[in-house]
């Protein structure tokens, strides 16, 4: 029996042939997330008890940024981690047994280049000789190099200041940098100090977002836990579609923002949360068997080349095929479809008997 067939058999038993999750023993799952990022769906899923409803006992592990999660994944201290594409590629290229299950979100304007108008910066062409805050080796650095290139500039034409995202707003307030390329909530903090956006992911013709990365031994060894996680996440996505403001409340509280202010922050991100079905298309992880031709895979190849150039990794992954694993989602969708068909058939039979 193939691995996918095993997944499908499991889902059928899990979703349709077993007692409700609340009647089962809770399965442990350790989830890593970034405190300096916006985690709308995760915060809602935790606050609304969606994981518990599916019989999961969740332990949350906080990290300041994606790269800090890699040692925890290597040590088996977390099972799933929400991170950007850069640490995912870095970890995989360095031999960590990790895989991307799906893209949690894609951002069009979350990552922005903002500048101080008083420094005479109105567009990227004005950056020559200026001090620019970036997290070296991260997506902000990658974005900045693209912005400079499109403006006819090189990295040597500006002064790069290596800062963590959280340290960029204070550095901007202190006049230590003239511009910065970073994401919410820190980019918004600088805009509230008067910084003006002069470039975004969208304006540069790039893509970026967040992915759910899992340890391979966890996925293969705990398939039922993975399926329960996917079911809870699907519920969070459906809730967000039905009541965006209500779902954002938990994350707004975590960040310490009012509802209207947080709504404005999210609007500035231009975020899209791909459905599981969208995950299996060329725009994201690709259709089964065609992952290598997907837009996300090609994007990750570009990131690997950048990381090699920055000496963050020694070489690109020798085998990219193991980075994506959509079998759990394929199994979940197949099980969900079977459940709908079963429900329809049951309704028809009930109607016929009345």
């Amino acid at each position: 029996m193939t691995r996918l067939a095993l997944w499908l058999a499991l889902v059928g038993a899990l979703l349709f042939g077993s007692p409700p999750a609340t009647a089962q023993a809770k399965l442990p799952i350790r989830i890593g997330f970034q405190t300096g990022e916006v985690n709308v769906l995760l915060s809602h899923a935790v606050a609304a008890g969606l994981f518990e409803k599916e019989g999961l006992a969740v332990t949350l592990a906080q990290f300041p940024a994606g790269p800090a999660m890699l040692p925890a994944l290597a040590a088996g201290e977390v099972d799933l981690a929400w991170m950007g594409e850069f640490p995912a590629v870095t970890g995989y290229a360095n031999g960590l047994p990790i895989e991307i299950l799906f893209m949690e979100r894609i951002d069009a304007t979350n990552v922005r280049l903002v500048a101080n108008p008083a420094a005479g910066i109105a567009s990227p062409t004005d950056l020559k000789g200026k001090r620019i805050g970036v997290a070296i080796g991260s997506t902000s650095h990658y974005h900045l190099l693209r912005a400079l290139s499109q403006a006819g500039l090189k990295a040597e034409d500006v002064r790069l200041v290596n800062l963590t995202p959280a340290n960029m707003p204070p550095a901007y307030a202190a006049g230590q940098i003239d511009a910065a390329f970073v994401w919410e909530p820190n980019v918004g903090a600088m805009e509230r100090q008067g910084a003006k956006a002069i470039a975004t992911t969208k304006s540069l013709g790039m893509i970026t977002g967040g992915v759910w990365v899992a340890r391979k031994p966890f996925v293969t060894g705990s398939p039922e836990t993975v399926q329960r996680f996917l079911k809870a996440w699907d519920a969070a996505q459906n809730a967000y579609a039905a009541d965006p403001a209500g779902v954002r409340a938990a994350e707004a509280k975590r960040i310490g923002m009012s509802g209207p202010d947080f709504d404005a922050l999210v609007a500035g991100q231009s975020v899209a949360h791909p459905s599981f079905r969208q995950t299996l298309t060329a725009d994201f992880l690709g259709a089964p068997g065609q992952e290598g031709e997907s837009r996300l895979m090609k994007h990750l190849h570009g990131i690997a080349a950048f990381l090699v150039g920055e000496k963050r990794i020694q070489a690109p992954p020798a085998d990219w095929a193991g980075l994506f694993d959509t079998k759990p989602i394929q199994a979940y969708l197949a099980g969900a479809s079977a459940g709908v068909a079963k429900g329809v058939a049951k309704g028809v039979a009930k109607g016929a008997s009345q």
Side-chain angles (χ1 to χ4, degrees), residues 148-228:
L148 293 175
S149 176
Q150 291 185 7
L153 299 172
K154 299 179 181 179
E156 307 86 71
D157 295 325
V158 300
R159 296 169 59 188
L160 300 184
V161 182
N162 188 18
L163 296 169
T164 64
N167 285 330
M168 291 184 194
Y172 181 86
Q176 297 169 349
I177 55 175
D178 305 304
F181 220 143
V182 71
W183 47 87
E184 290 286 9
N186 294 293
V187 69
M190 288 182 282
E191 289 173 335
R192 290 190 288 276
Q193 297 174 34
K196 301 298 181 182
I198 59 173
T200 67
T201 301
K202 183 178 180 179
S203 74
L204 295 173
M206 302 175 71
I207 63 171
T208 192
V211 295
W212 274 107
V213 170
R215 292 187 301 109
K216 289 180 183 289
F218 168 70
V219 176
T220 56
S222 305
E224 182 176 347
T225 306
V226 174
Q227 288 299 307
R228 293 189 190 187

Side-chain angles (χ1 to χ4, degrees), residues 331-350:
Y332 175 78
L333 290 174
S337 296
V340 170
K342 184 177 180 180
V344 171
K346 184 177 180 180
V348 170
K350 183 178 180 181

Side-chain angles (χ1 to χ4, degrees), residues 256-329:
M257 297 181 71
S258 68
D261 286 345
F262 187 67
D263 288 345
L265 181 155
V266 172
Q269 291 181 298
S270 303
V271 170
H273 295 276
S275 69
F276 288 155
R277 293 196 182 281
Q278 289 174 319
T279 291
L280 303 180
T281 65
D283 280 339
F284 298 99
L285 272 66
Q290 299 176 31
E291 293 85 355
E293 298 303 313
S294 69
R295 185 184 185 196
L296 179 59
M297 182 63 82
K298 292 175 182 177
H299 171 57
L300 299 185
H301 278 249
I303 288 174
F306 165 77
L307 291 172
V308 170
E310 293 298 317
K311 296 180 172 56
R312 296 282 164 163
I313 60 176
Q314 293 183 344
D319 178 16
W320 285 94
L323 181 55
F324 289 179
D325 184 4
T326 63
K327 292 183 180 64
I329 284 182

